[in-house]
Every structure is written in C-alpha cells, then in structure tokens.
Amino acid sequence: MQSTGPDESGHFGRFGGRFIPEALVAALDEVETEFRKAMDDPAFAAEFDAMLREYANVPSPLYEARRLSAEAGARILLKREDLNHTGAHKIRNVLGQALLVKRMGKRRVIAETGAGQHGVATATACAYLDLDCVVYMGEVDTQRQALNVARMRLLGAEVIPVTTGSRTLKDAINEALRDWVANVDDTHYLLGTAAGPHPFPAMVREFVAGIGREARAQSLETVGRLPDAVAACVGGGSNAIGLFHAFEPDPDVRLYGFEAGGKGVESGRHASRMSVGAVGVLHGARSYLLQDEDGQTIESYSISAGLDYPSVGPEHAWLHDTGRATYEPVTDAEAMAAFGLLCRTEGIIPAIESAHAVAGALRIAPALAAELGREPVIVVNLSGRGDKDVQTAGTWFDVLDEGAVQS
Amino acid sequence: MSGESSAQSASVAFGKARAEGRGTLVGYLPAGFPSVDGAIEACRVMADAGVDVIEIGLPYSDPVMDGPVIQRASEQALAAGFRVADVFRTVEAVAATGVPTLVMTYWNLVERQGAASFARDLASAGGAGLITPDLIPDEADDWLAASDEYGLDRVFLVAPSSTDRRIAETTAACRGFVYATSVMGVTGARAETSDAAPALVARVRAAAGPDSVPVGVGLGVSNGAQAAEVAGFADGVIVGSALVRCLLDVEPATGRAALRDLTADLAAGVRR
C-alpha cells in the first residue's frame, strides 16, 4: 500500500477520522484489524484476485477511443469498468468487503443504496458468497428505481424503504447506521464508497485501487508512457480514488475529479461539495459538505443519482486542499452532451455518472494541449455502463416513444 | 476564564440526589418542538414535576443515534424553521428554573459555529454543558479545550461494546456524568430494561475508580418502574423518547399534562 495516508487514527490531514457513536468503535476496530490482517495474508489477496478475474471480468480493458479522441483533440483512453460484472467498478469493493465479512465470521450484511447500483452489487456479492443481505433505500428512490429494487430481490436481498428525512441516499445511510449500532455483533455494514468513518475510506480505496494499477500498466503498454492526466467523476469518490491512487506518486500525471454541477453551481441545485461546500462532519467523517449556516445538511442534486450526495470521501477533500488533485463541477447539460457524443462516436452508452468524467476530459483537453505543446494523453474512468440511465437519457434527448416502459 | 459558566455542573444535582439516598432523573426534550416557546414551556413542566437535570436536544438533519420518536420531533422542529441560535434562548429560559441544563447535540452543529464560540454562547446562556452522541474523546480536542475554558460539563457515551480501556479513558474525559447506553441501539422506549446495563455500570465503576463521575443510564427507559430498577444500580436514569412521545401528535396542553404525569411517575421511580 502507498503511504499517502491516512495516519494511524484514520485522518487525511484534517479530514476523515471517526465521528460516530461509541457503540460502533469496537466494530470499526474489528474491521480495521481484520482488514490489516487480510492485507498481510497472501491467501486473501489470491482469493480476491481470483474472484475478480473469474467472476467479475477484471482487469477491465483500457480502450483507446479514436473517434472520441478526434473530437476531443486529445488521446482519450477509456478504462472500461463498465464491462465488469454488474456493470460498474463497484463490484471490486463489494467483493473485497464481502470476502472480509466471511473472514470475520459474520453472516449478515447491510448496505445503503441511492439509485440501487451499490445495492445490486452488494446483493450480487452476498448471493455469490452465501451471506444474508439487507439493503436500505430511500422510499423516493425505490419508486424512481423500481427495476433495481426488483434486481436486488431477484438476487435474494431484502430491500427496506426508508421513510425518514428526505427519503433518499443520505437517509438510507442514516438508517443503515442505526441498524448497525443495534446489530453489530453479527452484521457488517458494507459501505458503498470511499467515505464514512475510518477505516472505510482506506479500505474501500484498497479494494478499488486495481483500477489505477491496471490503467497505469496498460497505459505504459498502449502508449509507452504514463498519461498526462487521469479523470473520474466524484460522488462519494470510490471510482475516482481507485483511479487516482496508483498515480498519486507520479508528479507529471494530473488528477482530475468532476463533481456534479447539476443545474449550475449558482442555481444551488448541484453536488459540488468542493467548489462551494464547507468543511464539516457527516456520516462519520470530516470532509467538505453541503450545509447551511447552522450546519444542517443541504440536499444535493444531480441528474446522476450516483453523484447526488451532500458529502465526499475525506481523501478527496485532502487531495483538494493539498492541490494534488483538481476538482471541478460538470453540469447536467455538459454531462449529457458528452453522453450523447460517446454513444455516437464510440458505440458506448455510459452511466451518466461516467459521462461527467468524459465531459471533464473534453473540457481540460485544449488547455492541456496548449500547455504541453502536443496532443495530451488522458485516461478517463468509464466507471459504469448506462443501461440503468436509458429512461433518463431517452427523456433528455427526446427519443422515447410515448408510452415507453418506465425503468 | 471570564466566560466561565455560572451554571452548576450536572454533578451537583447527582450529588444532591445521592445525599438524599436516591437516583437522579435526567429528562430529555428537543428544542424547537413543538415550537421554541412550546419546548421551553415543556421543560418547565419537567422541572416542576421533579426532574433533576434537563437535556435539551438540538434538532439535526441527520440524527443517526435517534429512533423514530425523536427523529419525528426533530424533523418537525426543523420544518418549523428552528435555528441553532434558538437553543441558547431555550437554555437560558430553562436554566432559570435552577435545574442544571445541558444540550445534547450532534457534532457538526457545534463544529459549524466553532467549538469555542459555541461554548461561550452556551456558558453565557447558563448552560451546564454538552452531551455529544457522535463525538468520541479521540476526536474531541477542540471541545476538550473549549469546555475547559468555559467550565462546561462534557458528557461522552460508553456502550456495552466498549473495551475496559475505552471505558476508563472516556469516563476520565467526562465532566458532570458519563452516559452509559444500556443497549446496543438507538434512542426509543423499550418494553424491558436491558440486562446489559447493570454489567456496563459495574464495568464503568471498576474501570474508572472511586473518583469517577456519576454514571447515568439511558436508552429504553419509559416508566417509573423501569426508572426504579435502573436507579437501583446506576447514579442516574436518563429518559428521552418516552417524554417526547407525550408531546407528539397531541394538543400542547394535553401533551404537557401527559408530560407532567410521566415526569412525576419517573421522579417517584428514582425515589423508590
């Protein structure tokens, strides 16, 4: 593991830590201890690796998108996490944590989900490894994402609609934390992103860091050198930290994270925590968050459910403060334009989350080309596929026939 | 130290109850529910009916340690426009009853204002201190310094899952009392008191030694009989959801009458 943080008490500079009820400290200590032991155990690494290869279709290819590159004025290499089993990078994290659950001898797994992608991934891992699975999902989201609710049930999970607060992702996390406090003896909380209390940000990063390790080696192989920049979308931040981590020690590789700019940062309808948020504490960690003057959480907004979260993983807050990574907002409109372009030039329908990363790469390409005096190489994490977003995109581009089936 | 709170520490109320050979009753109600003035009125009812220490909850958008009753009350307070600054007015009015008054709050609301600034405002309102359900001493450097500067109580939580070492360290960091959560779970009335609670209290006393702050037990207590049972092994009995429920979905006057009866029942319980 790279020694880029966190420190022993789980802090990335002033960020991270553990802002949680005392009742959870023992469980977090247990997760941390078992995780460290697993990391030192070649058998764990071998088993995780085999699961990823045989079951999850990892390593994912690094694909040179030639027609998109021509449009972008940059050599764009797409890290095809959309080709993984369940269609996103998330399978890496859930398989890693589920394997750890087996090691800890626990039987019950709980998870939160927004649009349902992490819920489906968790239900998948639990079916695969014979674990009981309960997924908390905001009631509003269960209605918006009925097909994902059905997917989770098909995979044997129980889906519990959350009816408190705003009835969306942040409330699903609150409810999962409440469940965990009450059932911590036999239950693991399989958090879906590189956020939350220590050791989750460091542990989730480790499980998804293959994205960057593979992309780094594949870039050397494909273009004979490291990329000039890597780009990812940032919701909670797991796909981005998974891509960034292997490149952090490479000073010439620029790290770009693209947050949801929603309807524009000035509209107040966005999830641009690092552009306009302030430092605070939510869901167990100190980071940047959307909050009002009093410290009450402000609800975020994005056309993309996976980026629609009022806080962000603490390591991103730290990379933002240190200047090692650059974070910019990408609006719904910019993301959808990139979505359409990728569909038409490459025959790839991306997740709308990932379309934010493509849009960001298109934005930074001209300045980067000017700075370098040559065509830049940019690795873009195509973190997920867009099947789940066809309804949204179809409506956006007005290509849905009337009476088309609701997804 | 000019800003030091003039309020009595909660430990004074615990000491008085102990001298009378009984348990201490700690009652919780959220600020701003059903309104700022309504909450003040309700706290006065509790003071009048025999509560020894009052905890005023600070409504927060993401209360992960609270069950449905307190969540609903907090949501209603926020929906009605409650602002954090309203809690200082609430504390000032309630502390004027002479009952030591603490604020129970999730940490972000304090961090947002700044720990020192929050402590200053709380002290000048006559508040006794803070109970912090999602702040562990490991992360509390700012609050330890601010509470020292303003002479405020700081109440951290211990749980059945806490190691003896953590219990000793956490209790040593407390001033006023230590909050022992009787069950693994969130706030809310339960039909039976927990059998984990006596064991936890014994562990706190063993780990923290004879100079330990008093031990209050919370989570799940809802009537005089349960209060009597808990007062049999702990220094204090902390009641929240059962009191809040008196005020949910009823006319304020009806709610206050129910609140008065329940507080009196609980106060009798800690004297059994």
Side-chain angles (χ1 to χ4, degrees):
Chain A
M1 216 183 306
Q2 312 271 353
S3 59
T4 47
D7 65 16
E8 265 184 33
S9 57
H11 296 89
F12 299 89
R14 60 178 169 151
F15 301 106
R18 283 182 176 174
F19 295 83
I20 35 93
E22 167 67 24
L24 290 178
V25 170
L28 291 168
D29 281 345
E30 182 191 13
V31 171
E32 185 180 7
T33 303
E34 291 297 327
F35 169 62
R36 296 290 163 211
K37 275 198 247 167
M39 288 299 99
D40 289 340
D41 179 358
F44 182 89
E47 197 172 356
F48 183 41
D49 201 51
M51 282 163 57
L52 287 174
R53 248 184 309 109
E54 294 163 12
Y55 182 68
N57 202 29
V58 162
S60 61
L62 187 71
Y63 161 75
E64 179 154 13
R66 288 192 178 79
R67 293 194 60 213
L68 180 69
S69 295
E71 300 278 340
R75 238 175 131 177
I76 305 276
L77 307 175
L78 298 176
K79 182 61 176 161
R80 295 293 307 274
E81 290 291 293
D82 60 317
L83 298 178
N84 297 352
H85 181 42
T86 73
H89 73 286
K90 287 175 180 291
I91 192 72
R92 299 179 188 253
N93 172 41
V94 295
L95 287 177
Q97 285 196 53
L99 193 56
L100 197 67
V101 174
K102 297 293 268 192
R103 260 178 96 98
M104 290 191 289
K106 295 189 174 184
R107 263 227 55 86
R108 182 171 176 268
V109 166
I110 57 173
E112 83 294 345
T113 198
Q117 297 308 109
H118 174 57
V120 170
T122 304
T124 301
C126 288
Y128 177 62
L129 288 173
D130 186 23
L131 295 163
D132 299 332
C133 182
V134 173
V135 179
Y136 288 94
M137 186 169 184
E139 191 183 45
V140 171
D141 293 328
T142 61
Q143 290 156 2
R144 288 194 291 209
Q145 299 287 343
L147 280 185
N148 272 341
V149 174
R151 284 188 183 98
M152 288 183 262
R153 289 183 180 143
L154 289 170
L155 292 161
E158 181 188 356
V159 180
I160 301 182
V162 175
T163 58
T164 52
S166 58
R167 307 180 181 206
T168 57
L169 174 61
K170 81 177 178 66
D171 307 284
I173 295 175
N174 293 341
E175 207 54 36
L177 284 167
R178 292 182 187 114
D179 179 315
W180 203 27
V181 171
N183 299 295
V184 69
D185 280 348
D186 70 343
T187 298
H188 176 70
Y189 179 13
L190 206 160
L191 189 67
T193 191
H198 178 65
F200 282 105
M203 178 171 74
V204 173
R205 179 186 72 192
E206 185 59 31
F207 290 143
V208 296
I211 301 169
R213 281 196 299 269
E214 294 162 19
R216 196 176 181 283
Q218 290 163 327
S219 177
L220 290 171
E221 201 172 296
T222 310
V223 296
R225 60 183 181 84
L226 294 176
D228 299 300
V230 301
C233 62
V234 185
S238 65
N239 93 81
I241 212 70
L243 177 64
F244 290 177
H245 194 52
F247 292 103
E248 279 175 36
D250 300 314
D252 294 335
V253 180
R254 296 152 187 80
L255 312 178
Y256 280 95
F258 295 100
E259 300 185 282
K263 295 182 185 298
V265 166
E266 63 293 340
S267 72
R269 303 262 293 147
H270 60 83
S272 301
R273 293 79 32 114
M274 283 178 287
S275 303
V276 297
V279 175
V281 166
L282 179 67
H283 293 145
R286 183 179 285 123
S287 186
Y288 283 95
L289 44 124
L290 301 183
Q291 54 181 327
D292 69 13
E293 279 171 56
D294 279 2
Q296 309 286 358
T297 308
I298 294 176
E299 282 169 38
S300 53
Y301 161 81
S302 170
I303 191 173
S304 147
L307 305 184
D308 188 357
Y309 178 58
S311 187
V312 62
E315 187 168 2
H316 287 294
W318 185 57
L319 292 171
H320 174 65
D321 268 19
T322 62
R324 178 63 189 93
T326 303
Y327 297 87
E328 297 178 4
V330 166
T331 63
D332 290 355
E334 291 173 292
M336 293 313 293
F339 179 102
L341 185 65
L342 192 65
C343 288
R344 291 190 310 275
T345 56
E346 297 291 344
I348 295 171
I349 300 178
I352 297 177
E353 288 82 357
S354 315
H356 285 69
V358 176
L362 293 170
R363 181 196 292 166
I364 63 173
L368 201 50
E371 181 192 334
L372 296 167
R374 59 170 167 77
E375 182 181 53
V377 176
I378 304 175
V379 169
V380 177
N381 198 13
L382 207 69
S383 55
R385 70 177 182 228
D387 306 44
K388 68 185 177 60
D389 294 321
V390 169
Q391 177 84 26
T392 305
T395 304
W396 179 275
F397 291 110
D398 198 19
V399 296
L400 272 182
D401 287 337
E402 221 161 291
V405 184
Q406 290 273 320
S407 74
Chain B
M1 305 289 275
S2 57
E4 191 154 321
S5 176
S6 58
Q8 287 185 334
S9 164
S11 59
V12 175
F14 276 83
K16 180 166 165 280
R18 180 179 290 182
E20 293 172 6
R22 64 177 178 87
T24 304
L25 177 62
V26 182
Y28 168 100
L29 286 175
F33 172 76
S35 62
V36 176
D37 290 331
I40 291 169
E41 189 67 15
C43 287
R44 286 185 179 134
V45 167
M46 286 204 301
D48 200 41
V51 81
D52 299 302
V53 174
I54 291 177
E55 275 181 42
I56 294 177
L58 195 40
Y60 176 51
S61 52
D62 295 274
V64 296
M65 264 299 280
D66 285 308
V69 170
I70 294 177
Q71 282 178 48
R72 280 182 56 207
S74 300
E75 278 180 24
Q76 287 182 31
L78 291 172
F82 177 84
R83 297 295 306 267
V84 167
D86 294 328
V87 83
F88 302 116
R89 174 159 81 85
T90 307
V91 166
E92 191 161 18
V94 175
T97 63
V99 174
T101 302
L102 296 97
V103 171
M104 182 155 186
T105 180
Y106 292 91
W107 184 244
N108 195 50
L109 301 180
V110 181
E111 177 151 318
R112 182 65 164 153
Q113 180 173 340
S117 164
F118 196 99
R120 184 197 61 220
D121 289 352
L122 182 62
S124 61
L130 286 185
I131 302 167
T132 50
D134 65 345
L135 184 71
I136 55 177
D138 320 46
E139 299 282 357
D141 287 354
D142 288 353
W143 170 232
L144 296 179
S147 52
D148 280 345
E149 183 177 350
Y150 291 96
L152 293 168
D153 285 347
R154 49 182 185 235
V155 178
F156 296 106
L157 280 60
V158 293
S161 61
S162 304
T163 60
D164 287 343
R165 186 176 153 196
R166 285 197 65 80
I167 287 175
E169 290 173 359
T170 302
T171 306
C174 288
R175 191 158 49 218
F177 65 99
V178 59
Y179 190 130
T181 55
S182 62
V183 291
M184 294 297 286
V186 295
T187 58
R190 289 168 174 82
E192 290 172 12
T193 51
S194 150
D195 54 4
L200 177 59
V201 172
R203 287 174 63 215
V204 173
R205 289 190 173 138
D211 299 330
S212 164
V213 289
V215 186
V217 168
L219 298 194
V221 177
S222 62
N223 58 47
Q226 289 176 333
E229 193 186 327
V230 172
F233 60 83
D235 301 306
V237 182
I238 305 167
V239 184
S241 295
L243 295 165
V244 179
R245 199 169 44 194
C246 294
L247 304 174
L248 268 178
D249 306 325
V250 294
E251 287 299 313
T254 312
R256 285 196 294 272
L259 183 68
R260 180 179 299 277
D261 290 348
L262 177 57
T263 308
D265 180 37
L266 293 163
V270 298
R271 286 169 169 80
R272 254 172 243 163

